[in-house]
Amino acid sequence: MSSVPSVRRRPARPLLAALTALLAAVALVAPPGPARAADPLLSQGRPTTASSTENAGTPASNATDGNAGTRWSSAFADPQWIQVDLGATATVSRVSLTWEGAYARAYQVQTSTDGTTWTTVFSTTNGDGGTDDLTVNGTGRYVRMYGTARATGYGYSLWEFQVYGSTGTGGGCDTATNAAQGRPATASSTENAGTPASAAVDGNPGTRWASAAADPQWLRIDLGSVRTVCRVVLSWEAAYARSYQIQTSTDGTTWTTVFGTTTGDGGTDPVTVNGTGRYLRVYGTARGTGYGYSLWEVTVNTTGGGTVPGGGPLGPNVITFDPSMSAASIQSQLDAVFRTQESNQFGTQRYALMFKPGDYSGINAQIGFYTSIMGLGRNPGDVRIHGDVTVDAGWFGGNATQNFWRSASNMRVYPSAGFTRWAVSQAAPFRRMDIQGDLNLAPNGYGWASGGYIADSRVTGVVQPYSQQQWYTRDSNVGGYLNAVWNVTNSGVVGAPATSFPNPPYTTLAQTPVSRDVPYLYVDGAGAYQVFVPSTRTNASGASWLGGSTPGTSIPLSQFYVAKPGDSAATINSALAQGLNLLFTPGVYAVDRTIAVNRPGTVVLGIGYPTLVPQNGVVPMTVADVDGVRLAGLLFDAGAVNSPVLLQVGPAGSSARHTADPTSVQDVFFRIGGAHAGKATTSLVVNTDDALIDHIWAWRGDHGTGIGWTVNTADTGLIVNGDNVTALGLFVEHYQKHEVIWNGENGRTIFFQNELPYDPPNAAAWTNGSRVGYAAFKVADTVTSFEGWGMGSYCYFNVDPTIAAYHSFEAPTRAGVRFHDLLTVSLGGNGSITHVINDTGATAQGTATVPVNVVSYP
C-alpha cells in the first residue's frame, strides 16, 4: 500500500522491560558450541519462496540475499510462511531470523526433505522481534519459518533468514571418493600451458600443475557445494613445498587453515583434517627447490560421500562418427536412424548425430524428427561433408508444414547437386552451417513449408525460399535470395536484399542489436569434450566465425552434469547446487519437481531434443534473476495436470540489470498436446531484464493426440515482464487467449510468426470483452517504448469458419511504440481478421490467401 512506509519500526518497549529482557538474554545465552562455529551458512542466495509478498519490492529472495537493508514482507493475514531450498539435504544446526518491525508473536521453524511434509524443530508463542538466533537439530533440504500469529497489524517481515548446517551426513570419512576430481581448479600461476591447474584434479597421475618459481603460490579447487573435508592427499612432483597450508572457504575469499607444516619433504602427503567449505586451497609459502610448486594430483575426501560427478558418457542415442569410418558404415547408421524418425512425429525416440573433425565423402544424412546433426569442430570448417544434409517431406506427401523438431549445426557442406535441401517449418534451427552452394527451403515438388530460422551461417550461393511462407535469418552471409512469399526477415545478414516490404516482402535490418550464438559441444586437440560458450555480440553483422574462431570461452564436460532419461529432478538440482552446468542427452524426462537454475553463468544445454514433461502440475524449470544463464536446445512438453508455467526466467518482481551478460533462451520449444493431452496456462514467462529470446516455438497443438478446445488448454505462449528484452525469431501459435503479452519497457522483436487457434467452437467462446478474439501480439497499454519488425499472423478457423477476429496486433498508439512490416492472412478463407493492428488495416479474408499488409504503425 502506498501509504505504508517501506521500513516500519515497532514502538519501543518500556525501559525496565527492555533491561529485564536484556539481562535475561545475557544469563541464558551459552557460549557457541563447536557445531555453531564450524557450520557454514547454507541459505544465502538459495531459491526462496513465500506464501505471499506485500508488494514487488519485498520479495522472498530479499531475506536470503545477504543484504541487511532489504527485506521480505507478507500480506497482512495469518498464517504466512517463507521457505528456502538448500539444494541438498542438510543437517541444520542453527537458524537466525532478523525481524523488521512487523515481527511474529507465534511461529515455527520447520524442515522438510521434499517440500511437502514438514517437521517442527523450533516453536514459540511469545516472540518479541529483533534477532532470534536459534540452535536447532533437524534434517532437510527445505527450511521454513511458519508464522501463525502476527505481533502487529502488518504482515510478517524479515531482513534476513539464515540457515546454518552441513551437507555431510556424519557417516565417516569417505576415502573411496575423490571430491576434487574433475572439479574447477585455478591457480596463482602456471609454469607453462602444459601444466595447468586442472591437471592436478584430472585423475591422471601423469599430468601435473606447476607454478612459477616464486613464493607464495596457491592452487584452489571448487568442490561445488559446502562439504565437510576429512582428508587431503597431496602427490608432489619433485618440485615440492617445504612450507604450506591447506585452507577451506565457504565463499572463496575468507580462508580458514585446517593444516599447516614447515617441514614438508615431498612425495605423498596424506593429511587428516577437519574443515568445512566449498573451496579448498593448497597455499605454499616456501619452496623445497629452486623451481615452483608442482602437484601430480590433489585428492579430497569428505564426510558423507562424494559429490554428484560431472562428465561421463553421453548415452546410446548419441551416435558419433569419425573420419576413419567407411562411408558405407556411416550411411548405414544414418539410414537406420532416419527410418525410425522420418514420420515419428510424436514418438519418444531422440537422437544426436555427431561428426568429429575431418572430411566425410559420399553420404546423405536425411534428418527426421527429434534428430540433431552437428559437427564437433571448434568452427564449421573443421567438419566437411562432401555429400548432403537433407530434410524433405516424402513422408507427408510432399508437404513440409509438419517438418518440426530437428536441427543442423556447425559443419561445412559441399552438396552433391549444388544445393542443400532444408524443407522445414517451426523448431528446426540451422546454426553455424557453411553451405558451399545454394540452400533450398522447399520440399521436392515445391509443396508448402511454413517458416524457419538460420543463424551464424554462410550460404555461398542463393537462398531459395520457393514456397516457404516466412523465414528469419540473422548474423549470416548469403549470396542472395531467389524470392520471398509473405515475410522474409533478415538482421545482420551480409548479402540480404534491401527492405522492400510488401513487394517483394523483404524486411532487412543491417545489424542485429544484441545476439549470441548457442553453446555447442566440440572436441579439443586431446579428444576431450568441451562446451563452447560464444560471447555476446552487439550490432552484429555476418557470421561470427568468418574472420577467425568465434569469440567466447570453453567449459570442459567434467564441469557438466550429464543428464540421462530416468534421472530425477532431485539429482539434477543437487548437481546444479554443486556448481555443475547441465547437459541433457537425448530422451524424455519426467520432471516431478522444479529444476532450479540459480547460479550466474550456468549453461543448460540439450542435444537431440531432450523433452521435459512436468508431473502433477509442477513448473518444470525456473531461472533466478542472475547474470549470464544460457538455456538452449530443450523441448518442454506439458503434462496431463495443468502447470501454471513451463519455463520461468526470473522470479516475479525481478529488477536487477544484466546488460553486460544477459540470460538467453535459445532453440527452446514448448508443446501443449500432440504427443498426449497436456495443459499449461503459460509456456514461457520472462521476468528478467535484458534477457535475450533467440528462436522459440511455443505451440498449442492442432493435431496429434489430446487435441481439443477443452482438452489441451493453454492461455498464452509468452509473457514478457522484464525491461529491455530482445526477441529474435518468435514462433507462437494456437493459444486460446493472447499468444504474446509484452509488458516490459524498451522491448524489441525481430520476426514474429503466428497462427491464431484453429478450434474456437464459435465466436462467443472466443470473445475478449466486446471483441471477438484475442490479439496474437499484445503490447500492454502502459508500455511507452517498443519496436517490432517483420511480424505476421494468420487465421484458419476450421471448426467455425464464420469467426471474424477483430485484429491480430494490439498496442498503445504513441510515438515510442512502433511496428514495421506487419501482415495478416486468412488461410483459404477459413475465417477472417478484420484489422491488422488496433483499428488499422483491411480485412484478411477470402479463398485467395492474399496477405493484408501494414508497412508502418503508427
Side-chain angles (χ1 to χ4, degrees):
M1 297 174 65
S2 59
S3 60
V4 179
S6 61
V7 176
R8 299 184 300 270
R9 301 292 183 187
R10 55 191 167 92
R13 291 176 286 175
L15 178 60
L16 179 59
L19 289 173
T20 301
L22 177 61
L23 291 171
V26 171
L28 292 174
V29 173
R36 178 169 296 194
D39 284 345
L41 176 62
L42 303 179
S43 54
Q44 190 162 311
R46 298 299 309 160
T48 307
T49 54
S51 52
S52 66
T53 56
E54 182 182 358
N55 55 59
T58 59
S61 58
N62 279 358
T64 55
D65 62 0
N67 182 350
T70 63
R71 65 185 176 93
W72 162 70
S73 60
S74 76
F76 304 171
D78 293 312
Q80 301 289 338
W81 52 262
I82 182 170
Q83 165 186 324
V84 61
D85 177 357
L86 303 178
T89 299
T91 299
V92 179
S93 59
R94 177 186 169 209
V95 174
S96 179
L97 304 172
T98 305
W99 296 101
E100 192 252 358
Y103 65 99
R105 179 71 66 197
Y107 69 91
Q108 302 166 25
V109 175
Q110 302 173 321
T111 61
S112 173
T113 58
D114 59 7
T116 302
T117 303
W118 295 91
T119 300
T120 298
V121 296
F122 175 83
S123 180
T124 185
T125 57
N126 59 358
D128 61 354
T131 297
D132 290 343
D133 196 14
L134 311 172
T135 299
V136 299
N137 184 10
T139 301
R141 171 176 172 164
Y142 304 88
V143 180
R144 78 176 176 182
M145 186 288 299
Y146 188 80
T148 55
R150 290 165 292 138
T152 73
Y154 301 110
Y156 298 83
S157 184
L158 282 165
W159 294 111
E160 283 295 296
F161 175 27
Q162 296 176 312
V163 179
Y164 296 81
S166 171
T167 55
T169 65
C173 192
D174 178 12
T175 58
T177 304
N178 182 3
Q181 188 166 321
R183 296 301 309 160
T186 54
S188 53
S189 66
T190 56
E191 182 181 1
N192 55 57
T195 58
S198 59
V201 292
D202 62 1
N204 182 351
T207 62
R208 65 186 177 96
W209 163 67
S211 77
D215 293 313
Q217 301 290 338
W218 52 261
L219 174 75
R220 187 180 81 164
I221 303 163
D222 179 357
L223 301 177
S225 62
V226 174
R227 309 303 305 276
T228 299
V229 180
C230 50
R231 181 172 176 261
V232 176
V233 182
L234 305 176
S235 298
W236 294 101
E237 194 250 359
Y240 65 98
R242 178 71 66 194
S243 298
Y244 68 90
Q245 301 168 24
I246 296 174
Q247 302 172 323
T248 59
S249 173
T250 57
D251 59 6
T253 301
T254 303
W255 296 91
T256 300
T257 298
V258 296
F259 173 82
T261 184
T262 58
T263 58
D265 58 359
T268 299
D269 288 345
V271 181
T272 298
V273 300
N274 182 12
T276 301
R278 170 173 173 166
Y279 303 91
L280 183 136
R281 181 167 75 170
V282 181
Y283 189 81
T285 55
R287 291 164 290 139
T289 74
Y291 299 104
Y293 298 83
S294 184
L295 283 163
W296 294 111
E297 283 293 300
V298 177
T299 299
V300 178
N301 301 134
T302 63
T303 298
T307 58
V308 177
L314 300 180
N317 284 19
V318 176
I319 302 173
T320 303
F321 303 106
D322 186 279
S324 65
M325 300 171 63
S326 70
S329 173
I330 295 173
Q331 191 65 52
S332 175
Q333 294 183 70
L334 294 173
D335 290 347
V337 172
F338 183 64
R339 282 193 298 271
T340 300
Q341 300 301 99
E342 180 182 12
S343 58
N344 194 16
Q345 185 171 181
F346 296 113
T348 58
Q349 294 80 6
R350 307 283 188 271
Y351 292 94
L353 308 174
M354 306 202 307
F355 288 75
K356 291 184 177 180
D359 288 278
Y360 300 82
S361 298
I363 61 174
N364 179 17
Q366 299 186 79
I367 307 303
F369 285 100
Y370 311 112
T371 303
S372 297
I373 184 171
M374 61 187 74
L376 288 175
R378 175 69 172 76
N379 295 295
D382 296 338
V383 175
R384 298 167 294 277
I385 305 295
H386 302 268
D388 296 292
V389 175
T390 302
V391 174
D392 208 341
W395 74 277
F396 199 50
N399 183 339
T401 57
Q402 292 184 22
N403 277 357
F404 313 140
W405 304 309
R406 61 199 76 197
S407 65
S409 62
N410 207 32
M411 52 179 57
R412 178 177 294 165
V413 180
Y414 299 87
S416 58
F419 70 91
T420 292
R421 186 183 302 280
W422 190 254
V424 298
S425 290
Q426 294 77 29
F430 198 77
R431 288 184 181 269
R432 296 179 60 81
M433 294 293 286
D434 188 5
I435 304 301
Q436 299 293 299
D438 295 335
L439 181 62
N440 187 330
L441 303 179
N444 187 28
Y446 306 104
W448 286 112
S450 186
Y453 173 94
I454 296 171
D456 211 25
S457 295
R458 174 172 65 177
V459 178
T460 64
V462 176
V463 180
Q464 304 168 337
Y466 291 112
S467 55
Q468 186 65 250
Q469 295 167 343
Q470 62 272 318
W471 199 272
Y472 175 54
T473 303
R474 72 154 179 84
D475 301 359
S476 295
N477 299 69
V478 302
Y481 275 81
L482 176 69
N483 70 303
V485 180
W486 294 338
N487 177 18
V488 169
T489 299
N490 295 276
S491 67
V493 178
V494 177
T499 295
S500 54
F501 188 90
N503 186 28
Y506 292 118
T507 299
T508 298
L509 286 76
Q511 298 173 321
T512 304
V514 59
S515 59
R516 57 168 52 140
D517 202 29
V518 71
Y520 59 90
L521 273 173
Y522 76 99
V523 292
D524 62 19
Y529 283 115
Q530 304 268 350
V531 172
F532 191 76
V533 182
S535 300
T536 304
R537 306 175 73 188
T538 55
N539 299 319
S541 178
S544 67
W545 45 268
L546 280 178
S549 296
T550 299
T553 58
S554 292
I555 305 174
L557 191 64
S558 62
Q559 294 183 27
F560 283 77
Y561 177 67
V562 179
K564 299 178 177 62
D567 284 352
S568 69
T571 299
I572 291 170
N573 276 331
S574 293
L576 290 169
Q578 285 178 203
L580 290 173
N581 300 287
L582 184 56
L583 177 73
F584 283 99
T585 60
V588 178
Y589 296 75
V591 180
D592 63 355
R593 66 184 66 186
T594 300
I595 297 171
V597 183
N598 297 312
R599 180 177 59 85
T602 301
V603 176
V604 179
L605 174 63
I607 58 173
Y609 284 84
T611 303
L612 279 58
V613 183
Q615 309 295 299
N616 303 315
V618 303
V619 176
M621 186 176 288
T622 61
V623 179
D625 187 23
V626 295
D627 281 351
V629 172
R630 314 278 187 118
L631 304 180
L634 303 173
L635 172 58
F636 291 88
D637 194 358
V641 178
N642 186 76
S643 292
V645 182
L646 294 180
L647 172 62
Q648 179 173 300
V649 180
S654 294
S655 58
R657 293 304 309 273
H658 309 286
T659 307
D661 191 11
T663 284
S664 54
V665 179
Q666 301 180 276
D667 299 343
V668 174
F669 309 120
F670 305 88
R671 181 168 69 193
I672 319 290
H676 50 256
K679 302 174 186 289
T681 305
T682 306
S683 290
L684 172 61
V685 176
V686 177
N687 294 315
T688 293
D689 290 349
D690 307 297
L692 175 63
I693 305 169
D694 179 31
H695 188 217
I696 68 165
W697 184 39
W699 182 65
R700 176 181 167 261
D702 59 87
H703 63 275
T705 300
I707 301 299
W709 188 250
T710 59
V711 180
N712 60 323
T713 54
D715 285 357
T716 302
L718 168 65
I719 298 176
V720 175
N721 295 319
D723 294 337
N724 305 293
V725 173
T726 299
L728 308 171
L730 291 185
F731 299 76
V732 186
E733 301 192 293
H734 309 313
Y735 287 81
Q736 294 174 294
K737 293 184 179 178
H738 296 301
E739 315 272 338
V740 174
I741 300 173
W742 202 289
N743 295 317
E745 289 288 354
N746 303 314
R748 295 173 293 203
T749 295
I750 303 175
F751 185 87
F752 172 67
Q753 188 266 320
N754 163 259
E755 286 182 348
L756 298 169
Y758 287 180
D759 56 341
N762 50 59
W766 193 52
T767 296
N768 178 21
S770 61
R771 293 173 175 168
V772 174
Y774 289 78
F777 197 106
K778 176 178 173 59
V779 178
D781 296 343
T782 56
V783 170
T784 61
S785 177
F786 174 86
E787 194 160 10
W789 297 262
M791 306 174 72
S793 174
Y794 320 137
C795 72
Y796 182 74
F797 301 126
N798 60 356
V799 175
D800 182 1
T802 68
I803 292 175
Y806 189 80
H807 52 208
S808 282
F809 299 91
E810 182 178 325
T813 302
R814 53 176 59 103
V817 179
R818 297 171 291 172
F819 292 84
H820 315 272
D821 302 352
L822 304 178
L823 68 147
T824 56
V825 180
S826 173
L827 301 175
N830 286 274
S832 61
I833 304 171
T834 305
H835 301 292
V836 178
I837 179 168
N838 294 345
D839 299 327
T840 298
T843 300
Q845 60 186 338
T847 59
T849 313
V850 175
V852 174
N853 304 296
V854 171
V855 175
S856 63
Y857 185 88

